[in-house]
Amino acid sequence: MFIAYAVLAVVLSLLLVFSAVPDFTGDPKITEPLKALGVPDNWFLPLGLVKIAGALGLLAGIVYRPLGIAAAIGVVLYFLGAVITHLRGGDTKGIGLPAAIMLVAVAPLVLGFATV
């Protein structure tokens, strides 16, 4: 199970880093729909930093599992918030990616508990 945790932690970390890049660069394909949902401009940098922190926490969890578990919980909650934001804004088309990442983040959370 440790190998499964490590692989998922690395894959999810890469996904989080790639997801954070548009937050830092201000890619209008990503930021404009989020602005339409009510996300202020000054939130993009902190949101990107939270994703990077989650990625680093998951990777550190390979060595120290409690940190990985905490990071996985944070990632699940982050993307749960994203799903709720899309639902509240009536954007059912944009809900797929945050929901998928949230579900992927559940796997290292469960495996993290199983390998403590």
Side-chain angles (χ1 to χ4, degrees):
M1 284 217 231
F2 169 76
I3 293 171
Y5 172 83
V7 168
L8 283 170
V10 169
V11 169
L12 184 56
S13 293
L14 290 171
L15 191 61
L16 289 169
V17 169
F18 286 123
S19 175
V21 169
D23 295 339
F24 297 138
T25 62
D27 183 358
K29 290 187 293 188
I30 303 298
T31 59
E32 292 306 319
L34 292 176
K35 288 178 189 177
L37 292 174
V39 178
D41 281 335
N42 61 345
W43 280 26
F44 289 109
L45 178 62
L47 291 174
L49 291 173
V50 169
K51 291 176 190 175
I52 297 297
L56 293 174
L58 286 166
L59 293 175
I62 294 171
V63 177
Y64 183 64
R65 196 76 67 246
L67 185 56
I69 292 169
I73 290 169
V75 171
V76 169
L77 292 175
Y78 177 95
F79 284 99
L80 177 62
V83 167
I84 291 169
T85 298
H86 282 276
L87 288 175
R88 290 183 69 204
D91 180 23
T92 56
K93 288 174 59 176
I95 200 171
L97 186 59
I101 296 172
M102 180 182 68
L103 292 175
V104 169
V106 170
L109 175 59
V110 171
L111 289 171
F113 278 118
T115 59
V116 171

